[in-house]
Amino acid sequence: MMESLESFLRDIGPVYAALLATVFTWLVTALGASMVFFFKDLNRAWQDIMLGFTGGVMLAASFWSLLAPAIEYSEQLYPGMSWMPAAVGFLGGSLFIFGLDKLAPHLHINFEESEKEGVKTTWHRTTLLILAITIHNIPEGLAVGVLFGAAANGAEGVTLTAAITLAFGIGLQNFPEGFAVAMPLRRLNISRFKSFWYGQMSAIVEPVAGVIGALAVVYIEPALPFALAFAAGAMIYVVVEEVIPETQRDKNTDVAVLGLIVGFVVMMVLDVGLG
């Protein structure tokens, strides 16, 4: 089955493949958000565990799916300086999300309204929560798109299987993430349908970022290792600045860390075993 999927994605080209893969991750987010129709509330401990799992998947993907191939491919393009594209790209991705974090008004899931970040605004708490998760999802879509573009360019250490595996891993963590986004909205007395709608819409940015990432590396091959590291830096910044702090604000810190470790191991096994 994997061979048939690879053949199909290879035939349609990297940009369309990236689009389909990120539409898949978006739909999994929607599936997770749809759980708001079946549950009245989400225990805070489970919410922290799911967010921890999300962080673990993103951490593992950042290294095995993005940074390691960036360094390996750089040995061909930049002999003697294979560290440079990874370092520059990683810093660039981190600073990109840092800039969005400072400019875009948003509010993290478990934070009080007085702790909202970005430029001052009178926007409603719901809007700020959705914007926070939207920023979170940009590097995920970008990572999937860049990896499909890298596979199409025949980058050393990157295969179409690895790109499919990353998309599957991102989708896997998007399910609990979608639930973890929709349920706090429901607790704000928003209707079930609106909670689901806003929850799934937070991931609509993933297909956009995925297509941009694929286009960038397909048409500008020397930028490929920079783009891989850029996506890694963006994801690490999100994990450290947003995901981990959100899981450490209640009494569930230990189980949240275990969730992160499980997510890390699951993504590592997927990437090393399949990619």
Side-chain angles (χ1 to χ4, degrees):
M1 182 175 179
M2 179 64 80
E3 290 181 1
S4 299
L5 180 59
E6 284 187 29
S7 177
F8 170 72
L9 293 175
R10 191 176 291 108
D11 289 343
I12 64 174
V15 176
Y16 283 114
L19 177 62
L20 285 180
T22 46
V23 166
F24 162 74
T25 62
W26 168 35
L27 291 177
V28 177
T29 304
L31 185 61
S34 72
M35 293 297 103
V36 77
F37 292 112
F38 306 102
F39 296 91
K40 292 182 177 179
D41 200 359
L42 175 63
N43 181 277
R44 177 62 183 270
W46 280 109
Q47 178 178 315
D48 289 340
I49 290 170
M50 288 192 294
L51 285 173
F53 181 87
T54 292
V57 169
M58 292 175 73
L59 284 175
S62 296
F63 177 75
W64 274 281
S65 298
L66 300 168
L67 271 179
I71 294 170
E72 189 171 352
Y73 192 56
S74 294
E75 292 174 357
Q76 296 180 18
L77 295 179
Y78 305 94
M81 294 186 68
S82 59
W83 54 269
M84 185 271 292
V88 172
F90 191 88
L91 286 171
S94 302
L95 291 173
F96 172 70
I97 300 297
F98 172 80
L100 283 181
D101 197 58
K102 294 302 179 186
L103 294 174
H106 62 283
L107 178 66
H108 299 311
I109 290 175
N110 292 325
F111 284 45
E112 300 296 329
E113 191 156 0
S114 60
E115 298 175 278
K116 58 189 178 184
E117 301 177 15
V119 297
K120 291 184 178 180
T121 179
T122 57
W123 291 352
H124 192 271
R125 179 184 177 89
T126 303
T127 304
L128 297 174
L129 285 169
I130 296 166
L131 281 173
I133 301 301
T134 300
I135 293 171
H136 173 146
N137 283 324
I138 290 173
E140 295 177 8
L142 189 64
V144 173
V146 165
L147 211 61
F148 272 98
N153 275 351
E156 188 72 25
V158 180
T159 63
L160 193 55
T161 303
I164 295 170
T165 301
L166 177 63
F168 178 77
I170 294 296
L172 186 65
Q173 60 95 32
N174 274 2
F175 180 85
E177 182 181 280
F179 192 16
V181 174
M183 194 54 72
L185 297 177
R186 178 62 181 152
R187 285 200 293 268
L188 294 175
N189 293 320
I190 297 172
S191 70
R192 292 182 188 274
F193 178 77
K194 284 188 175 180
S195 296
F196 158 74
W197 181 255
Y198 293 141
Q200 62 86 27
M201 281 300 290
S202 67
I204 189 65
V205 71
E206 290 192 8
V208 177
V211 169
I212 291 172
L215 283 170
V217 298
V218 166
Y219 293 105
I220 313 174
E221 185 176 357
L224 200 157
F226 292 94
L228 288 167
F230 184 96
M235 287 216 288
I236 293 292
Y237 187 95
V238 165
V239 172
V240 176
E241 194 276 335
E242 177 184 339
V243 178
I244 292 176
E246 287 178 5
T247 67
Q248 302 297 301
R249 294 174 65 85
D250 203 49
K251 58 186 177 181
N252 310 306
T253 56
D254 291 342
V255 292
V257 172
L258 290 177
L260 185 145
I261 291 171
V262 170
F264 187 96
V265 170
V266 168
M267 188 63 213
M268 178 182 66
V269 170
L270 284 173
D271 201 286
V272 176
L274 299 178

